Amino acid sequence: MSSGLVFLGCDAVWLSLAAGRLYRPRLGALLRDDFAVGPAALFYVIYIVGILVFAVFPALETGRWTTALGRGALLGFVAYATYDLTNQATLRGWSAVVSAVDMGWGAILTGAASLAGFAAIRWLLIRA
């Protein structure tokens, strides 16, 4: 739950700040005027499950917060690189700057969300 809250909260702030400064100026013609809630919600559910499976649970097995942070950051980088570089390869007008910034953001955000999930579960286990 804490992984999801951190991920959703930070991503909401990021998107509200970056949309007008990064995405719209470089990708304006490609962006929707409205926001499609269904696909976004599905992405967040799937991605948060990925954070738990590939970063938080392995970190709980090792007992090391660095496992959560490192595996989370790697997951974020790989997932965001898949999206951004595929778009750069297939869409006219996709910005390399957007790809680079987005991949960095994916690594930072997923690492932080993974660390938060690890810390919350460890705290709950210690208190139980």
Side-chain angles (χ1 to χ4, degrees):
M1 177 120 159
S2 60
S3 289
L5 292 175
V6 168
F7 193 87
L8 288 168
C10 291
D11 208 32
V13 170
W14 168 260
L15 291 173
S16 67
L17 295 173
R21 295 180 184 148
L22 176 67
Y23 299 115
R24 191 143 316 271
R26 289 172 177 83
L27 304 173
L30 299 173
L31 296 178
R32 294 172 59 115
D33 291 330
D34 60 341
F35 180 73
V37 175
L42 188 57
F43 161 75
Y44 284 114
V45 168
I46 292 168
Y47 198 76
I48 291 164
V49 168
I51 289 172
L52 293 172
V53 169
F54 296 115
V56 174
F57 296 157
L60 291 170
E61 288 178 12
T62 67
R64 299 179 64 197
W65 65 269
T66 53
T67 302
L69 182 62
R71 289 179 69 108
L74 180 60
L75 172 64
F77 182 78
V78 169
Y80 279 61
T82 300
Y83 170 79
D84 285 299
L85 297 176
T86 298
N87 285 340
Q88 198 172 334
T90 60
L91 299 176
R92 261 185 233 108
W94 189 267
S95 168
V97 170
V98 167
S99 290
V101 171
D102 216 36
M103 289 160 48
W105 173 243
I108 292 166
L109 175 59
T110 308
S114 299
L115 184 57
F118 170 79
I121 293 171
R122 284 286 298 232
W123 183 81
L124 288 172
L125 291 174
I126 289 170
R127 302 203 31 96

